[in-house]
Amino acid sequence: MNPLSALVVSIWLAAVPPGTKPTDKTVDCLTSGCHTQQTNHKVTHGPTSVGACDACHDYVDPAAHTFKLKREGANLCEFCHIDKTGREGPVVHQPVAKGQCISCHDPHGSATKSLLKAESSRAMCLTCHTNVTEGKHMHGPVALDCTPCHKPHTSEVPKLLAMERQQLCLSCHQEVSDEVGKFRHPHPPAAKDCLQCHNPHSSNEPKVLNAPAKDLCTTCHKAIADVVQGASHPHSAVKDGRGCLNCHVAHGSDRAHLVKGSTVSACLECHKAPIKLETRTINAVAEIGVEKNFKHGPIRQDECAGCHDVHGGQHNSLLVEPFSSKFSLAYKEEEYALCFKCHDKSLVAKDLGIKPTGFRDGERNLHWVHVVNPTTGRSCRACHALHASRTENHLADTVPFGEWKLPINYKRTENGGSCAPGCHNPQVYDRVTAKSTPKAP
Ligand code: HEC
Ligand code: HEC
Ligand code: HEC
Ligand code: HEC
Ligand code: HEC
Ligand code: HEC
Ligand code: HEC
Ligand code: HEC
Ligand code: HEC
Ligand code: HEC
Ligand code: HEC
Ligand code: HEC
Ligand code: HEC
């Protein structure tokens, strides 16, 4: 039976003048006009609006016009609202569990449909939970309402969430959902739990991040933090500006190692133009972005890491292995450790039994001739561009000579080539029919 029907109140004329307390039981509390405070609301609670005050109030002493509540705590409400709040649900909001329904609801009426004691449910929540909006940057929905994400009474999910929390984030963020769901390399923490990096409510960091972008990543990537910390040759890109985000994306990518765009384009954001430091200038490497250039093998694969410790390292120019910065030097294998990491060192062998190089005149290895010299060998950099060049075999256009750049004028022929540099007279080499053999410079 609907409990309300038992409480239908008949309309009686006012027995007492307004402003005076009645001294015996009144059946109708409304007509006297004493209780407009309880009844004068935009939305009035069902029983209140029909004057069923005795659904909740019982006389203690009619003469003194004193009352007690008819039932205790939640029972007062659940007498009619059976199971509406499911207080025995797996996760119960503490004030609900304690039966403090009236900490949020006004039993008589209010300005909101749900009879809340504040002007909105958000304002209601914030009367107790002030800290969620403390951050400088607020998450979009939190600025409007809490209920898209939280249930006010009970939930199947911890923290009163409307659904499992990862699913909750993805339900609104389709783009990120694609990044972690469809890309070939989702970042594991993003695929698992957004809150490892984001605060769901607010933060002092942009993008509601849990920590400044600079520090966020190294909380998990200790090995990289150690590399950065221990680098005798640091790379400021790792710490400056957006830190790791200078080169990486956070959620997922179709590219290995979560590199932003392509490695070449990420690096070119800073290295398209020379970088002037206090003591020296870092040359631009714009040539790696020029479509028609011949690119060095690893760069063709969009890889810098074969040669550079991109996070910081122990050698000049962030190189993974030493490579002499000299142009002319006594030959030592270790001065070319970088090149010999990938290229067979028989490239510079005197004995050409297995013909390891195309740079030869007949049987004479011209790499050996130029490079392997006990006093004034020539570095690979004398002839080769390291990143990319307009000429095949990565031959450089020019040779540095002090500040002057000597053109090499290399020309390739079917079985060899020729050059006319400032170093010596024009020379020709031919692998099939040996030409005049140049003297070691
Ligand atoms: C659904 C239950 C319920 C109904 C129906 C109800 N009341 Fe109340 N009323 C309460 C509760 C609970 C309190 C105590 C509020 C508190 O402690 O904050 C209260 C308190 C009051 C008070 C004390 C002042 C105040 O507003 O806190 C008055 C007066 C009052 N009610 C009058 C009425 C009148 C008149 C009606 C009928 C028109 C009515 N009530 C109907 C539950 C109800
Ligand atoms: C005597 C029965 C009765 C009691 C006791 C009662 N209610 Fe209600 N309540 C109703 C009726 C009837 C409605 C209006 C019908 C509806 O909207 O479902 C209503 C509506 C509400 C609504 C608005 C529902 C909506 O969908 O907007 C809230 C909130 C509410 N009651 C909370 C409470 C709370 C809190 C208490 C305890 C302090 C309480 N009620 C006690 C009968 C009761
Ligand atoms: C922490 C604040 C809070 C407490 C405590 C609370 N409620 Fe609510 N209640 C709300 C909010 C907010 C809504 C509106 C939900 C919405 O609009 O989606 C609501 C809605 C309701 C409704 C409307 C019907 C519904 O479920 O949508 C009823 C009935 C209700 N509450 C009853 C109760 C009862 C009974 C208790 C005590 C056992 C209680 N509430 C405790 C915040 C609270
Ligand atoms: C009357 C005070 C009060 C109001 C109003 C209130 N809460 Fe709470 N809430 C509490 C208390 C007390 C706890 C338990 C202690 C704690 O975790 O801080 C709690 C806990 C929570 C929790 C954590 C639950 C868990 O399982 O750990 C969430 C989420 C929450 N409240 C959301 C809300 C939302 C959303 C609203 C508005 C609809 C709201 N609260 C309104 C008092 C309140
Ligand atoms: C975008 C969804 C979303 C919105 C909107 C939202 N929350 Fe939350 N809230 C969460 C998530 C997710 C958690 C769980 C955090 C966790 O598990 O550590 C949470 C946790 C909480 C907690 C528990 C905190 C704790 O550390 O245990 C409280 C309290 C809370 N929210 C209150 C609010 C209030 C108040 C609002 C509105 C002003 C609000 N939330 C709006 C998603 C949201
Ligand atoms: C109810 C929908 C909704 C849910 C659920 C939701 N968000 Fe959002 N989120 C938004 C809206 C709306 C914005 C603001 C969009 C904008 O500014 O372009 C936003 C913005 C963001 C931003 C960018 C903030 C900024 O300052 O630009 C982040 C990060 C974010 N959400 C993370 C999350 C996480 C993590 C979760 C899960 C806890 C989540 N969102 C759940 C709606 C949602
Ligand atoms: C590993 C840390 C991390 C995790 C985990 C993570 N994010 Fe982010 N998120 C970030 C960072 C860092 C940014 C800022 C990116 C930027 O500014 O380029 C960001 C930005 C965002 C933005 C704003 C996008 C924009 O372009 O402004 C949204 C929305 C977002 N994240 C949602 C999510 C959601 C949803 C999840 C879970 C599926 C999630 N994030 C998991 C680190 C993370
Ligand atoms: C909550 C811990 C956590 C945070 C925070 C985190 N990561 Fe990760 N990250 C992982 C895990 C786990 C993996 C997968 C295991 C691995 O490769 O180390 C991973 C993988 C990666 C990879 C791919 C590694 C590879 O070998 O391909 C990159 C790149 C990366 N994270 C960068 C970042 C960046 C940039 C940030 C900051 C925006 C960040 N991570 C923040 C946990 C984290
Ligand atoms: C200058 C660009 C750049 C910056 C800044 C950068 N990375 Fe990387 N990172 C790369 C490149 C390129 C790779 C791919 C290396 C490879 O191919 O082995 C990489 C690889 C990684 C890997 C996977 C491979 C490995 O070495 O374990 C992780 C994890 C990683 N970075 C994390 C970070 C973190 C954390 C930060 C910030 C502290 C960061 N990166 C900053 C360019 C960068
Ligand atoms: C955010 C800007 C930025 C990005 C992106 C960046 N760098 Fe740098 N890089 C610098 C700056 C600034 C220097 C100058 C030395 C320093 O301050 O660390 C530098 C120096 C270098 C050096 C020379 C170090 C020396 O001492 O001669 C190399 C090699 C280098 N970067 C490689 C890379 C590679 C490879 C990438 C892409 C994976 C890259 N950089 C991306 C800013 C950047
Ligand atoms: C085959 C090895 C190799 C690869 C691969 C490589 N580099 Fe280098 N890079 C070098 C060497 C060697 C130097 C030192 C140049 C010098 O000493 O003249 C250098 C120097 C640099 C410098 C500093 C310029 C200067 O004059 O000091 C930048 C910037 C740079 N590289 C960027 C890149 C980027 C970006 C990539 C990937 C797209 C890359 N490198 C790939 C070998 C390589
Ligand atoms: C990380 C591995 C790696 C390192 C280190 C490396 N190279 Fe290479 N190099 C390659 C690959 C791969 C190719 C392409 C081979 C092919 O296309 O068959 C190549 C091609 C070349 C070519 C052109 C070959 C041709 O046929 O066009 C020259 C010249 C060259 N490298 C010089 C050097 C020099 C000089 C060094 C040291 C500064 C060096 N390389 C360091 C991997 C490397
Ligand atoms: C005097 C100029 C010169 C110097 C110095 C030089 N090279 Fe070369 N290198 C060439 C020429 C010319 C070719 C093209 C040969 C051909 O295919 O006709 C070449 C070709 C190559 C090739 C392609 C494979 C081959 O052998 O044909 C590699 C790899 C190479 N050089 C690596 C190096 C390395 C490593 C060094 C330093 C240790 C070095 N070069 C020093 C001129 C030079």
Side-chain angles (χ1 to χ4, degrees), residues 377-389:
R378 293 294 185 264
S379 160
C380 325
R381 70 172 74 237
C383 302
H384 292 294
L386 299 167
H387 297 112
S389 68

Side-chain angles (χ1 to χ4, degrees), residues 7-15 27-32 49-52:
L7 293 158
V8 173
V9 173
S10 47
I11 308 298
W12 285 34
L13 283 173
V27 184
D28 174 25
C29 319
L30 294 180
T31 41
S32 63
S49 66
V50 297

